[in-house]
Amino acid sequence: MFASVISWTLTPKGICFTTDLDFMIHMNNARYLRDCDFARFKFWIESKAWQMGQKLGAKMSNAGNNIRYRRSLQLFDIYKIKTKLVYWDDRSFYLEQQFIRTRDDFVCAVNIVKQTMVGCSPALLIEKLSGEQSEPVLTEELKCLLQSWQLSSERLRQSS
């Protein structure tokens, strides 16, 4: 069961329509984040984490996003989104989401999402799903991003 929690989940294919375009004639930023939300819902439901969280009285809130655009999705480009749980700490899960253009399998955008748990720890949820206790590996890339978010929070606290 644990493997299904951390493995990649694919969304159905999306397509960039005229209603998704910005003034530069590529997919607008809001569409990326909207599609990430739907992909995360699918991920949590298919992994059974959503259902287990409900049983434990837990709720999840989106606490941060960092999206990097590598190459634009253009009008009528077909893409898929891959979502994977990459890390968790005492309060939050961290997921990576990749927008992959289907015609060449190019990763056009990468989103790192922090989802904070209320009412249950991420470790408890993972243990209930997998039957085992696990320690995730913090990559250097994610470590730097978390440090950046921490520095930003400290700066904002000082200016308030």
Side-chain angles (χ1 to χ4, degrees):
M1 181 58 143
F2 182 69
S4 69
V5 175
I6 61 170
S7 64
W8 288 104
T9 299
L10 285 175
T11 61
K13 291 179 181 159
I15 187 168
C16 182
F17 286 116
T18 55
T19 54
D20 303 320
L21 299 177
D22 62 15
F23 67 93
M24 299 294 291
I25 316 299
H26 54 68
M27 195 160 91
N28 71 65
N29 298 344
R31 176 64 191 261
Y32 283 92
L33 294 175
R34 176 181 171 266
D35 283 0
C36 284
D37 282 345
F38 289 128
R40 280 193 308 279
F41 292 146
K42 183 178 187 299
F43 173 82
W44 290 122
I45 289 168
E46 286 184 357
S47 68
K48 308 291 187 218
W50 180 262
Q51 297 88 324
M52 181 59 70
Q54 295 292 306
K55 287 180 185 175
L56 296 171
K59 295 187 176 163
M60 200 177 301
S61 176
N62 198 9
N65 283 288
N66 183 3
I67 191 162
R68 185 167 71 94
Y69 304 99
R70 299 181 66 222
R71 197 164 294 155
S72 298
L73 287 168
Q74 305 294 323
L75 181 61
F76 303 126
D77 274 349
I78 298 171
Y79 59 91
K80 58 190 173 188
I81 302 171
K82 287 172 52 174
T83 301
K84 183 179 183 178
L85 176 61
V86 292
Y87 185 72
W88 63 87
D89 58 24
D90 293 341
R91 297 183 55 217
S92 303
F93 286 112
Y94 300 87
L95 297 105
E96 178 178 323
Q97 298 182 284
Q98 297 180 354
F99 282 77
I100 302 166
R101 188 174 45 218
T102 58
R103 72 176 144 90
D104 58 3
D105 283 332
F106 187 82
V107 178
C108 293
V110 178
N111 187 31
I112 302 294
V113 183
K114 176 181 181 179
Q115 293 201 285
T116 298
M117 297 288 297
V118 176
C120 161
S121 72
L124 177 61
L125 185 59
I126 293 293
E127 183 181 343
K128 292 287 187 184
L129 287 170
S130 66
E132 60 186 61
Q133 293 180 343
S134 301
E135 284 290 321
V137 176
L138 179 61
T139 64
E140 190 63 28
E141 178 183 9
L142 185 56
K143 181 179 177 182
C144 290
L145 177 60
L146 296 180
Q147 288 172 341
S148 171
W149 285 350
Q150 182 63 36
L151 290 171
S152 175
S153 292
E154 290 170 9
R155 178 183 56 80
L156 291 169
R157 275 193 290 276
Q158 291 173 359
S159 68
S160 297

